Amino acid sequence: MSPAFRAMDVEPRAKGVLLEPFVHQVGGHSCVLRFNETTLCKPLVPREHQFYETLPAEMRKFTPQYKGVVSVRFEEDEDRNLCLIAYPLKGDHGIVDIVDNSDCEPKSKLLRWTTNKKHHVLETEKTPKDWVRQHRKEEKMKSHKLEEEFEWLKKSEVLYYTVEKKGNISSQLKHYNPWSMKCHQQQLQRMKENAKHRNQYSILCSRASLHLRVPCVLDLKMGTRQHGDDASEEKAANQIRKCQQSTSAVIGVRVCGMQVYQAGSGQLMFMNKYHGRKLSVQGFKEALFQFFHNGRYLRRELLGPVLKKLTELKAVLERQESYRFYSSSLLVIYDGKERPEVVLDSDAEDLEDLSEESADESAGAYAYKPIGASSVDVRMIDFAHTTCRLYGEDTVVHEGQDAGYIFGLQSLIDIVTEISEESGE
């Protein structure tokens, strides 16, 4: 825990926010939680907190927006269901102003989230006990089957999940995003078994996948070196081995996780970090191709915007002196649910009534064009091992650019360019 927060108290009489799983987490080992529609919550690491506090202005467009610090407490209800509650720190009234959990759904008993709170901003009112008992009885039967499926999901490095078209995809992912489920269960288990973890500080950051109906997420571990300067000999040796046995040593980047929607089959494909480590350079290129392919055709309109952002990021990092982003990841995110297409000769009234289904059925008979430009986001995340000369307590001070990270970016640019050229773009 950071000394700066050790003595800080929770705001008196503050409302707590019931945290829920962030279902689009595809990589990393820290538990990422959903604070509200626009904000995520992750454990506070002093070095990462310092990074956000001293972040160069030109890097902000490529990182999540830092929103502050909250105290997260582990609590149990009368039936020993676990829940994590976030409370603003004393004097930080801005945090409570961003609370908005209006679109949340009851938590899954599979993940041991409490289900006895009707509202996600905890107040003094109680949910009637008879309603709670009835709800839990119904959920208990479902949970046994889900737990069996979860054990199978954890062992799968690549898997496919068929999405119900009429259902809410985020709600479905609460049960079927294997990496998200794994991280959340491990976090809750640690807090349950160890009292010292039951009250910790977390940072709040903006959510990159906001407003995307079906987020497709690629988590890339960047750089030729992953261990921080403060790593033990054993930890450093382990990280060096992982780099040498993966594409990290050859091209400076490897797949750490992936979630992509394939419209052709109506399936979500998940790939975890263990499979990513096994990929050859050619396998890495094929994984990138698969990430931009919707099961019917390559999403060529995404490649140009991705290349533009990667090139901009590379130029920004080339101007950063002394930074080393060890073990940092790069997220590439886009909406797997494509925007509606419209007939070129349609009038305004026809355009309003045209749905995605009718456009698909008519494909080939008319000329179509997408409404607006496709949105792609590229963000650097995970700075727990980042170092810079601004961090006065660091014994090792590096000079110049982070050559390993920049090398990985250039490799990524080259491979996406190859995919674009080979597809006829």
Side-chain angles (χ1 to χ4, degrees), residues 51 54-62 308-325 380 387-390 398-403 405-407 409:
F51 169 81
T54 60
L55 179 65
E58 62 178 344
M59 286 187 61
R60 289 174 186 163
K61 67 181 292 188
F62 296 106
K308 183 175 183 294
K309 290 180 181 292
L310 292 175
T311 302
E312 290 177 355
L313 175 58
K314 178 172 175 283
V316 168
L317 294 188
E318 287 174 338
R319 294 191 290 270
Q320 304 310 312
E321 173 68 24
S322 178
Y323 273 100
R324 295 295 182 272
F325 303 100
M380 297 174 68
T387 183
C388 174
R389 65 172 45 157
L390 297 175
H398 299 271
E399 300 293 335
Q401 310 164 343
D402 188 342
Y405 196 111
I406 293 173
F407 173 60
L409 273 178

Side-chain angles (χ1 to χ4, degrees), residues 218-236:
L218 178 64
D219 187 328
L220 299 170
K221 187 69 72 174
M222 301 299 297
T224 54
R225 170 180 161 175
Q226 301 302 324
H227 63 280
D229 293 323
D230 58 346
S232 65
E233 289 187 11
E234 181 181 2
K235 179 71 172 179

Side-chain angles (χ1 to χ4, degrees), residues 99 167 219 270 278 311 418:
V99 174
D219 187 328
F270 300 97
K278 298 176 183 177
T311 302
E418 288 178 16

Side-chain angles (χ1 to χ4, degrees), residues 149-167:
E149 292 178 351
F150 176 57
E151 290 304 315
W152 175 78
L153 290 173
K154 285 195 296 186
K155 300 175 183 178
S156 303
E157 294 182 2
V158 179
L159 60 89
Y160 295 82
Y161 170 64
T162 300
V163 177
E164 297 178 11
K165 292 184 177 180
K166 293 184 179 181

